[in-house]
Amino acid sequence: MNQDRQTPPGGESTQLPTLPEATVARLPEYLRALHSLADIGRDTVSSEDLAAAAGINAAKLRKDLSQLGSYGTRGVGYDVELLTSQISTVLGLAEHRAVALVGIGNLGHALAGYAGFGPRGFRIAALFDVDDSRLGETINGLLVRHVDDIAEVVATEGISIAMLTTPPHAAQPVADLLVNAGVTSILNFAPCVLSVPDGVDVRKVDLAIELQILSFHEHRKASARTGSSQYAPVKPVPAKKTAKKTATAKIDKSAKTQSPPKNVVPPPPGVTFSDSVVNE
Amino acid sequence: MNQDRQTPPGGESTQLPTLPEATVARLPEYLRALHSLADIGRDTVSSEDLAAAAGINAAKLRKDLSQLGSYGTRGVGYDVELLTSQISTVLGLAEHRAVALVGIGNLGHALAGYAGFGPRGFRIAALFDVDDSRLGETINGLLVRHVDDIAEVVATEGISIAMLTTPPHAAQPVADLLVNAGVTSILNFAPCVLSVPDGVDVRKVDLAIELQILSFHEHRKASARTGSSQYAPVKPVPAKKTAKKTATAKIDKSAKTQSPPKNVVPPPPGVTFSDSVVNE
């Protein structure tokens, strides 16, 4: 759920391997799986077992780890402790990172009290809000401070990562405050797009979007069962002057009213509208 | 953050378009952006403006929407209401979907009270826990019930989607209860991999993983600034019998102790270890 960026090509000035964003996103899954394996006393693990524990296919795992220079040993697999250490190092988890949390509403409150961050490399080091009723409250021994204190606290605590759980309208101004204070990574829970300068990384967690993606799959499965769908493809809208002669389809109003006829047949995959389409 | 699955090829028995998983994941972003545009009174929007509002590049947006049969009109762009309706329909949001929430701890409590689901197509319809201290509690007018009631309530409320916010050790048994009750989509917040039968979709939200990905970027940026990194690539481990003559490198213990020499140079991208590597 990154904001449409790729890990830029590195390698010139850094010793970190250049990794595709998708590989970076899977490394923490391997790490979590390795910790679970270590907890049950495993010293080595095959790529198949590690892949199963991480919920990722084995070929992809081997390719990912090969990019770190890790190949395992034939008949033995990967050394759990070594690989754990290596992935932790690549992810920059050798040090516990201090994280700020801005917006101590319902979700912020839950995150402030979440026990799962500590064991995985993060320490919530500062809480901020603007609401008088929240200021001065203490959560897990940490005082909720005013966002006006962000610059001071970020500097004092050495914070480079912030979680943003404000309402959407407040997210951009707060992000600006954080960036000006020196924060260079933001995990944004507000359902909006943040504008940040180069060098600042933003990842999004939008819980309603997660449900909407599952809703698509529910819709897909229901359609597959019944052989019908509420979906009616919208026919291309002809532009007034540039419409070609085949572009005579009208806008399918049925899609607009969400009660399309059941017998609308969508184009098969691979069929393009290129002849009848007026691209904007 | 899906569990390594692709939207399977459909189209034979469904009228829904076959869409890549990545496209499906972006549709809710377009939808959110369209709602924001409608809120400020926009009737039409160019692909560039919509892409900017969604935080996605315009070419990708045009390609995604073309897969729905939406192309916009030259010089006019997309009809906001029409496109909103179409994406909502594809996502199966024509009906408000009932969602169950299992695990009413810190995070579950926050999600049960989250106001952001309703406007985006979802109604929390049931809360479950096993903890006596939680049972009988009412959140937003909804009673916390025992997980033993899952089958009955899922049937009564017509629930097909569940959010799972239990501790990791409880996640799999609860997922089994949900699946047996007829739930076919699970949003899993527990840091573990769920095993589910075909036909059940699982998406994961692991907040520590999101932070770990940002940590990677912090590490990368710090390495780029200083030209050094704590990362030392692990040399391939030679297998006892099958090691080739070049596979004489020892395990780099420095990576294990996380204090590698600063002058370790990783292989440039494209260099493979194929000659010296013993794949497991």
Side-chain angles (χ1 to χ4, degrees), chain B residues 34 38 61 67 71-72 79 110-111 113-115 120 123 150 161 190 202 233 236 248-249 264 268-269 274 279:
Chain B
L34 286 164
L61 172 139
Q67 294 185 75
Y71 296 85
D79 180 302
L111 295 181
Y114 183 53
R120 294 169 77 188
R123 177 176 64 87
I150 282 180
I161 301 178
V202 176
T248 52
V264 172
S274 54
N279 284 296

Side-chain angles (χ1 to χ4, degrees), chain A residues 195-251:
Chain A
S195 168
V196 295
D198 284 349
V200 176
D201 288 276
V202 176
R203 287 184 67 82
K204 276 184 66 177
V205 175
D206 185 326
L207 301 176
I209 283 184
E210 295 298 320
L211 287 183
Q212 289 177 338
I213 295 170
L214 288 174
S215 175
F216 169 84
H217 290 296
E218 288 304 304
H219 189 198
R220 177 180 55 73
K221 286 178 278 193
S223 301
R225 278 194 300 273
T226 62
S228 69
S229 160
Q230 289 190 294
Y231 173 70
V234 175
K235 298 202 178 64
V237 183
K240 277 149 210 152
K241 295 197 170 178
T242 55
K244 295 177 185 169
K245 75 173 196 291
T246 52
T248 51
K250 295 204 178 70
I251 295 170

Side-chain angles (χ1 to χ4, degrees), chain A residues 15 29 47 68-69 71 85 89 91 97 184-185 201 203-204 210 215 218-219 221 231 234 255 280, chain B residues 29 47 68-69 71 85 89 91 97 184-185 201 203-204 210 215 218-219 221 231 234 255 262 273 280:
Chain A
Q15 297 187 335
E29 307 275 2
S47 59
L68 306 185
Y71 297 84
S85 160
T89 305
L91 290 175
R97 290 186 184 269
T184 45
S185 281
D201 288 276
R203 287 184 67 82
K204 276 184 66 177
E210 295 298 320
S215 175
E218 288 304 304
H219 189 198
K221 286 178 278 193
Y231 173 70
V234 175
E280 101 184 87
Chain B
E29 308 275 2
S47 59
L68 307 186
Y71 296 85
S85 160
T89 305
L91 291 175
R97 289 185 184 271
T184 45
S185 282
D201 287 276
R203 287 184 67 82
K204 277 184 64 175
E210 295 298 320
S215 175
E218 288 304 305
H219 189 198
K221 287 179 277 195
Y231 173 72
V234 176
K262 288 273 161 90
F273 286 103
E280 105 186 79

Side-chain angles (χ1 to χ4, degrees), chain A residues 164-184:
Chain A
L164 210 159
T165 50
T166 66
H169 70 269
Q172 186 62 54
V174 165
D176 294 343
L177 283 175
L178 289 166
V179 169
N180 289 337
V183 165
T184 45

